[in-house]
Amino acid sequence: MDKRISGRTEQLNLKVSPDFRKKLKLMAAKEDCLLIEVLEKSLELYQKNYKGSRPKKPQKKLSPYHLKGFECDNCGDEYYNKTAYSYAPKRTKKKLASHRFATKPPSTH
């Protein structure tokens, strides 16, 4: 078969495991086709089934916390009448006291 007629003019060299090579050759022999035809059909089916993207992981929902005044334990920044967001589940006011924020009035600088 003339490569120019088939449209296959680019060379592609791959390193594969011996098991992969054996399976590919057996498939091509069973279907009575070229190795490249098995690979082309595999790519076509892959694109059809996966549409070129990975399945997206579900994103965690952010829970808002409305606090009158607090200081961040990590950076020390102070906030007053702000909303903080966390991936932690919604907490009650009682549980917020043990959260990572220390309540304190705003600074005046």
Side-chain angles (χ1 to χ4, degrees):
M1 178 186 280
D2 189 334
K3 289 181 185 179
R4 289 172 292 169
I5 293 172
S6 71
R8 296 185 193 104
T9 59
E10 297 292 321
Q11 184 166 340
L12 177 66
N13 295 308
L14 304 171
K15 294 272 186 184
V16 296
S17 69
D19 187 50
F20 179 87
R21 184 174 185 259
K22 182 178 178 182
K23 287 177 185 177
L24 185 63
K25 288 182 87 168
L26 286 172
M27 236 184 239
K30 182 179 173 184
E31 297 296 320
D32 192 29
C33 64
L34 300 172
L35 296 176
I36 187 60
E37 292 171 325
V38 173
L39 291 174
E40 287 170 345
K41 184 66 177 172
S42 299
L43 179 60
E44 181 183 315
L45 291 171
Y46 180 85
Q47 288 175 322
K48 221 180 259 186
N49 290 323
Y50 296 103
K51 297 185 177 146
S53 66
R54 294 181 181 176
K56 293 183 180 180
K57 294 179 184 177
Q59 291 184 341
K60 293 181 183 178
K61 186 177 179 184
L62 287 173
S63 299
Y65 297 97
H66 305 286
L67 301 173
K68 289 287 182 189
F70 60 93
E71 179 181 338
C72 177
D73 289 344
N74 289 331
C75 67
D77 286 349
E78 296 175 359
Y79 302 90
Y80 190 73
N81 283 337
K82 298 285 182 178
T83 303
Y85 295 91
S86 173
Y87 288 112
K90 191 81 168 162
R91 300 177 191 266
T92 63
K93 284 185 178 183
K94 210 176 224 187
K95 289 183 180 179
L96 275 176
S98 65
H99 203 261
R100 295 194 46 111
F101 302 109
T103 305
K104 122 180 199 182
S107 63
T108 56
H109 48 291

